[in-house]
């Protein structure tokens, strides 16, 4: 096997591991937090509070 073929297989392996990690993290996050928490915008709430104080 040539070096480039080995590097290609290694890159595919790393890609598969990263994809697997992303799916595991997605499932772990989805089961840990509710949909309300995941779709809330805490930064938006903080920004709205600071705008109220400026007025």
């Amino acid at each position: 096997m040539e070096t480039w073929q080995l590097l290609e297989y290694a890159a595919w392996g790393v890609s598969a591991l990263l994809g697997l990690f992303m799916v595991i993290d997605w499932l772990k996050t989805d089961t840990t937090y509710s949909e309300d928490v995941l779709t809330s915008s805490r930064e938006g709430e903080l920004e709205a509070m600071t705008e109220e104080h400026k007025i």
Side-chain angles (χ1 to χ4, degrees):
M1 266 192 184
E2 290 185 19
T3 304
W4 291 112
Q5 283 181 327
L6 291 174
L7 287 174
E8 181 182 359
Y9 291 143
W12 277 110
V14 170
S15 176
L17 288 175
L18 286 174
L20 182 63
F21 172 75
M22 287 174 28
V23 168
I24 290 170
D25 189 51
W26 167 42
L27 293 173
K28 187 170 63 172
T29 301
D30 199 37
T31 58
T32 304
Y33 300 103
S34 69
E35 193 68 26
D36 293 335
V37 172
L38 293 175
T39 57
S40 69
S41 173
R42 183 176 170 97
E43 293 84 5
E45 293 173 9
L46 293 173
E47 185 177 308
M49 287 174 49
T50 56
E51 287 178 3
E52 288 174 7
H53 293 293
K54 288 181 182 179
I55 296 175

